[in-house]
Amino acid sequence: MPRFRLPTPSRPAALQSKAKRPAGANGPSGPVETAAEGGIHVVDWLDERTSLSGGLRWMMFRKVPKGTNWFYTLGSATMFAFLSQAVTGIFLAMYYDPSPTRAYESVRYIVNDAFLGEFVRGMHRWGSSVMVILICLHMARTFFFGAYKYPRELNWVIGVALLILTFAMSFTGYLLPFDQRSYWATIVGVNINGTGPLVGPYLSDFLRAGPEFGATTLSRFYAIHMMLVPGLIAALMGAHLYLVAKLGTTAPPWMRAEREKSLIEDEV
Amino acid sequence: MNQLEKEEYLREYALLKAKGKPFFPYAIAKDSAMAVITLIVIILMSLILGAELGPKADPTTTTYVPRPEWYFFFLFEVLRIIKPPEFVPMATIGVPTLCMILLFLLPFYDRSAERRPERRPIATAAGILTIFAMAYLTFLGANAGSPNEIDMAPPADLKGAALTEWNQGRLVVAQSGCLACHQIGENGNHGPGPRLTHIARNLPAAAIAQTLRNPTAPMPSFQRLSDTEPEKFNAMVQFLGSLK
Ligand code: HEM
């Protein structure tokens, strides 16, 4: 049964919201609009010169397949843990001194005296464990979902390189506080390295900056830990993410696309 | 995967993707939630577990047991299990390198088109087995006492005080990090130091004591130990002097 209702009376003119009008020929009509226009101008200016918006749209508005679930967040969580390591690492680097005589004291200064020093150092220290756990979970996800198969083989290979580099970060970072534990663990680690065939002894000499654990070993570990390896990781992460966007993320292996009957011609 | 399977996969994938949702904002919302959880976990760990700093590194210490970060425990355990010297490089370098190569090449030897874990029994079983093996080795590594133990029976003719001293010497040597560079019996690393299993054949005890006090780098000197705790030092010398 159709229902009849009286139309609601219109609001008094004083309470009616005024429709926004686009800025006319005589320019924007208020500070907010001026700011908005300014923003658009800046973006347009940048885009005219860089065409970045296309890439951004390509990255952000690509579709992720049906069935994408929480397991697919592990990769980006790994990246986030890496970013957290980078930020906390920068703050630690402001106080850290990689000389064998001063390293330990500078870390002690961070822990005892610097503002929030112990907190930041704790984040960096435990963040490394979190990153290792996340990277392993992410790898397990891609393994059990068969996500390394065609056409994503290369992304798997890049991923394994990232895994090795992450462990290299951990190994080189462990020495830096220069306390007993880090010193002796690293001595043993480098010696183990040296037992390897062919490149083993050379790798150990490279790490130690000489045949013995000496004054420059620490600064070498520091340079590897804060520049060489993170640079490689960042570059490979970029390649990894580019391939993710280019190829798309897999659908969970049990998903099947249902085909529309009308499109299937040759079914008898 | 042959050409047909590749094309089939791409077609199926295109259909699933067309049915999907845009990355922004749907996937990004989940990713951000996960990022927040990650950050909270890191912050909580930092607040609860803190950032302790041990005593300062001292290359001359003689009683420090090296322990790596927990995620290297499995490697550490492999090292403990495999003792014969000719296998040690294989255990420390060979096995990990092999595993890494196998991991790198995975997409090139597992070429079947199937992706569901329950229909790839070999891959799934291998994956689960690897996880359990790593977890087990990590567990063992975490609970292992000192990696520096010397499994060696005292010479049969030792009795009484001499036996006690021998055992103390064995303990001090084991805890002094000697095994990081020397091999004694079945324990310890292959180098850089010489093997000590039969050291007393070439060196009399006095010469051993001399070397301990005044070693060639990178070996740490035990001079301080001999000044402050001579009985420990003498036990070391006695133990090493018995290695014929
Ligand atoms: C620093 C470490 C890494 C970062 C930041 C990272 C990041 C990502 C991200 C954001 C994705 C998108 C899908 C998802 O999140 O699951 C992804 C996909 C992928 N990653 Fe990683 N990843 C890392 C390490 C690895 C490792 C160690 C492997 C394997 C050995 C790997 C293999 C893959 C594969 C095969 C894909 C495609 C998965 C699919 O399409 O479903 N990644 N990665």
Side-chain angles (χ1 to χ4, degrees):
Chain A
M1 197 183 105
R3 275 198 266 157
F4 296 98
R5 265 173 66 196
L6 287 175
T8 36
S10 57
R11 276 189 268 171
L15 294 181
Q16 271 176 27
S17 58
K18 296 199 177 53
K20 268 212 209 108
R21 297 195 181 287
N26 29 13
S29 56
V32 178
E33 224 165 87
T34 315
E37 289 254 305
I40 292 172
H41 274 308
V42 172
V43 171
D44 278 349
W45 189 91
L46 273 178
D47 199 39
E48 193 179 342
R49 270 141 263 254
T50 58
S51 308
L52 272 181
S53 70
L56 208 61
R57 218 171 283 148
W58 176 77
M59 190 81 195
M60 299 310 270
F61 296 109
R62 70 195 152 97
K63 282 196 167 174
V64 293
K66 212 172 143 185
T68 298
N69 53 35
W70 284 94
F71 287 116
Y72 288 76
T73 61
L74 292 168
S76 70
T78 313
M79 184 170 72
F80 187 76
F82 176 76
L83 291 180
S84 161
Q85 292 301 89
V87 173
T88 49
I90 288 172
F91 284 105
L92 293 177
M94 291 175 183
Y95 297 96
Y96 182 71
D97 180 349
S99 74
T101 45
R102 301 255 315 112
Y104 181 79
E105 274 71 27
S106 68
V107 177
R108 198 168 53 193
Y109 177 81
I110 292 174
V111 174
N112 292 342
D113 300 312
F115 177 62
L116 288 184
E118 180 168 11
F119 176 62
V120 171
R121 173 155 183 255
M123 278 183 74
H124 198 72
R125 190 168 181 305
W126 296 109
S128 86
S129 290
V130 169
M131 183 172 170
V132 167
I133 292 174
L134 284 171
I135 200 173
C136 290
L137 290 176
H138 172 61
M139 186 165 83
R141 197 283 282 171
T142 55
F143 178 82
F144 287 116
F145 280 23
Y148 54 88
K149 299 191 173 197
Y150 175 83
R152 300 184 181 80
E153 298 95 330
L154 188 57
N155 223 11
W156 172 268
V157 172
I158 295 178
V160 178
L162 281 168
L163 180 75
I164 295 174
L165 288 171
T166 305
F167 278 107
M169 282 307 268
S170 155
F171 177 69
T172 50
Y174 203 57
L175 173 68
L176 300 180
F178 221 58
D179 56 6
Q180 283 285 60
R181 169 216 247 308
S182 66
Y183 179 80
W184 288 105
T186 307
I187 295 251
V188 175
V190 173
N191 285 345
I192 289 178
N193 240 318
T195 61
L198 301 177
V199 290
Y202 297 102
L203 189 60
S204 288
D205 283 358
F206 169 73
L207 284 172
R208 276 186 302 239
E212 278 164 34
F213 206 94
T216 45
T217 310
L218 190 58
S219 57
R220 179 156 304 200
F221 268 63
Y222 186 49
I224 295 175
H225 181 78
M226 67 160 321
M227 300 210 270
L228 178 62
V229 182
L232 288 174
I233 290 186
L236 285 180
M237 244 182 219
H240 198 72
L241 287 187
Y242 167 76
L243 284 182
V244 165
K246 163 107 180 37
L247 302 168
T249 46
T250 52
W254 50 84
M255 289 303 281
R256 284 284 162 269
E258 71 254 16
R259 272 149 231 248
E260 284 173 46
K261 274 272 176 283
S262 61
L263 292 181
I264 302 175
E265 296 170 36
D266 48 6
E267 217 168 356
V268 190
Chain B
M1 277 176 111
N2 55 34
Q3 196 57 31
L4 179 71
E5 288 167 331
K6 286 184 182 172
E7 276 170 23
E8 242 166 36
Y9 174 76
L10 290 181
R11 197 163 347 120
E12 176 88 9
Y13 180 66
L15 285 175
L16 281 169
K17 195 167 172 178
K19 286 261 169 60
K21 291 178 174 172
F23 178 72
F24 178 89
Y26 295 96
I28 242 187
K30 279 187 186 157
D31 284 351
S32 315
M34 198 63 181
V36 172
I37 294 174
T38 308
L39 191 64
I40 291 176
V41 169
I42 296 177
I43 288 178
L44 284 182
M45 286 179 88
S46 171
L47 290 178
I48 296 168
L49 300 169
E52 60 159 338
L53 186 63
K56 187 176 176 168
D58 179 2
T60 64
T61 13
T62 47
T63 52
Y64 198 79
V65 180
R67 280 185 88 65
E69 188 71 301
W70 66 266
Y71 36 79
F72 287 123
F73 279 170
F74 70 97
L75 209 59
F76 196 68
E77 188 58 26
V78 171
L79 192 67
R80 273 167 44 86
I81 294 174
I82 302 186
K83 291 253 181 70
E86 58 276 18
F87 290 143
V88 166
M90 192 196 85
T92 53
I93 301 289
V95 174
T97 309
L98 195 71
C99 290
M100 281 302 144
I101 291 174
L102 282 180
L103 209 56
F104 261 119
L105 296 182
L106 172 67
F108 305 103
Y109 57 81
D110 176 12
R111 306 172 68 94
S112 75
E114 186 55 61
R115 282 162 206 255
R116 298 178 67 144
E118 72 274 23
R119 293 192 194 150
R120 301 186 289 140
I122 300 179
T124 305
I128 293 177
L129 212 68
T130 309
I131 292 176
F132 274 105
M134 298 277 280
Y136 184 60
L137 286 175
T138 303
F139 174 78
L140 287 184
N143 288 309
S146 139
N148 302 348
E149 265 164 24
I150 301 176
D151 313 308
M152 203 177 250
D157 53 344
L158 277 187
K159 301 239 157 45
L163 181 62
T164 321
E165 190 178 29
W166 188 91
N167 272 324
Q168 196 202 356
R170 186 178 64 158
L171 191 68
V172 176
V173 169
Q175 289 176 344
S176 299
C178 308
L179 296 175
C181 304
H182 296 282
Q183 209 202 333
I184 301 178
E186 292 202 318
N187 308 84
N189 282 330
H190 210 26
R195 199 195 283 204
L196 301 182
T197 315
H198 305 295
I199 185 69
R201 282 189 194 160
N202 315 330
L203 282 183
I208 293 176
Q210 180 55 31
T211 312
L212 287 176
R213 287 204 189 89
N214 201 358
T216 40
M219 180 169 151
S221 162
F222 291 80
Q223 179 72 51
R224 224 168 56 189
L225 185 74
S226 100
D227 294 343
T228 54
E229 292 167 290
E231 72 288 354
K232 273 194 183 176
F233 184 82
N234 292 338
M236 269 180 108
V237 174
Q238 197 244 17
F239 168 72
L240 291 169
S242 78
L243 299 174
K244 291 240 165 69

